[in-house]
Amino acid sequence: MNDRMMKAVLYDRYGGPEVLYLSRVPRPEPAPGEVLVKVHAFSVNGGELAARAGRLRLLTGRKFPKRVGLDFAGEVAASGAGVTRLAEGDLVWGVLGRTSGFGSAAEYVTVSAERVGRLPDGLDPVDAAALPVAATAITALRDKAGLRPRERLLVRGAAGGVGNAAVQLGRAYGAEVTALARAANLDFVRGLGAHEAVDHRTVRPAELGRFDVVLDTVGTDIRTFRRLLNPGGRMVTIAVDLERPAASLGYLAASVVHGRGRVRAFSGDFKQAQWDDLARHVAEGKLSPAVDTVFPLEETAAAHRALESGGVRGKYVVRVV
């Protein structure tokens, strides 16, 4: 077998999960400042589903084949020139940078050494693959919202990848956590630490009361949920309404540019400090991985299909080795 080749998941046209296929492509080599990571597992994220379906084609363009996979957990297989912090065999996790696009659905991936961190001792890489998005929740609640003990926190999409981490963190930070989720997932989010779990399909936002912090992982009805904020309240959103992206982005931009600081938006582009934070939260017991189902690499399309169907509890993880 040619060790310069590797398996990777590709697609040649926009569409549903059925467009994904497993192929063999050249194995990348690390450039200076990069590491080559042998991927053990990765998770499936909503943004890559939207990209694969063509909803982001203004950004992703029409050049094919394209790749999927954003985050990863694995081990360092080789290092480029100038990398001293990491060594071959180190267990690491990370997220590909904004300019790198997708591509972790593969046996190997190259990434800047600054964009990966070491796994906490004893954490299995497959479980670890469910946690990189938790760095988003840490940044959202602690850094962007400044969540304080005894404040009321509302988490939209509480059973999902970022949402489940936010529920755990909100409880660990001493907040009173209300979790919005499907009826079938209410016991799940209670088990994560939510003080109150509410079926978002049967309870209207106006019936929820007032909150000091709202974390939105959904992207729709931002104005409606902004109205639930107490004086001095903060809303952080990490999502865009994919049915109306222009309007959604326009509202968020106006919130920032015109000083409506109650709504704050950001997208994760994490480096070493964030990975150190994430590892510390795991080691301190503030965060635990929530893995719904583990799929083999050959069934990446099935993992995409499952996430699109809704109802995920934590993360769908794809095992590579």
Side-chain angles (χ1 to χ4, degrees):
M1 183 178 294
N2 186 348
D3 62 3
R4 295 184 180 275
M5 303 293 286
M6 69 174 186
K7 295 178 182 177
V9 178
L10 311 174
Y11 61 102
D12 295 326
R13 59 185 174 86
Y14 292 124
E18 68 277 0
V19 302
L20 300 178
Y21 64 93
L22 190 62
S23 185
R24 294 188 65 80
V25 301
R27 192 182 75 181
E29 296 295 332
E34 291 185 338
V35 289
L36 175 70
V37 176
K38 182 178 182 180
V39 179
H40 288 199
F42 61 92
S43 76
V44 181
N45 298 280
E48 62 189 290
L49 302 190
R52 186 217 66 228
R55 294 177 179 174
L56 305 178
R57 67 184 67 198
L58 291 178
L59 298 175
T60 56
R62 294 186 174 276
K63 184 178 179 181
F64 294 97
K66 296 186 184 299
R67 304 274 293 273
V68 295
L70 182 62
D71 54 37
F72 58 88
E75 64 181 289
V76 176
S79 299
V83 176
T84 59
R85 184 175 63 87
L86 298 167
E88 184 176 344
D90 284 348
L91 294 177
V92 296
W93 51 15
V95 175
L96 298 180
R98 292 172 182 158
T99 59
S100 304
F102 302 105
S104 65
E107 291 181 304
Y108 292 89
V109 65
T110 52
V111 62
S112 169
E114 295 181 352
R115 296 188 182 279
V116 300
R118 289 187 179 87
L119 295 190
D121 291 341
L123 184 61
D124 182 84
V126 174
D127 288 335
L131 281 171
V133 293
T136 300
I138 296 172
T139 301
L141 295 181
R142 186 192 64 189
D143 303 333
K144 299 295 182 180
L147 181 67
R148 296 184 290 269
R150 294 182 294 281
E151 287 193 313
R152 292 198 73 206
L153 165 67
L154 176 66
V155 180
R156 295 187 71 199
V162 176
N164 91 82
V167 171
Q168 295 182 64
L169 289 169
R171 185 67 182 247
Y173 293 161
E176 181 183 333
V177 183
T178 297
L180 287 182
R182 292 186 177 197
N185 289 338
L186 297 184
D187 285 343
F188 170 69
V189 295
R190 289 190 190 99
L192 296 172
H195 295 83
E196 184 178 12
V198 180
D199 181 359
H200 70 90
R201 293 179 171 180
T202 60
V203 177
R204 294 178 300 172
E207 300 175 56
L208 294 170
R210 296 285 177 172
F211 297 89
D212 301 295
V213 174
V214 174
L215 174 60
D216 169 50
T217 73
V218 180
T220 60
D221 301 319
I222 295 174
R223 288 181 178 86
T224 299
F225 283 90
R226 180 178 179 272
R227 296 189 187 104
L228 304 184
L229 292 175
N230 284 322
R234 295 84 69 201
M235 179 174 179
V236 181
T237 183
I238 63 166
V240 172
D241 184 351
L242 293 175
E243 299 300 324
R244 299 186 303 161
S248 180
L249 288 170
Y251 177 72
L252 293 175
S255 297
V256 175
V257 173
H258 297 299
R260 302 176 198 163
R262 290 158 68 82
V263 179
R264 304 164 190 182
F266 77 100
S267 60
D269 195 17
F270 303 118
K271 295 187 178 181
Q272 183 181 347
Q274 283 78 20
W275 299 121
D276 291 345
D277 273 350
L278 180 57
R280 187 162 45 251
H281 278 67
V282 173
E284 292 173 352
K286 294 177 181 177
L287 269 173
S288 297
V291 177
D292 186 304
T293 307
V294 179
F295 296 82
L297 182 63
E298 293 78 8
E299 296 180 16
T300 300
H304 275 231
R305 190 171 295 109
L307 186 58
E308 286 186 341
S309 297
V312 63
R313 296 183 177 187
K315 297 288 287 182
Y316 291 121
V317 170
V318 178
R319 183 195 300 269
V320 180
V321 297

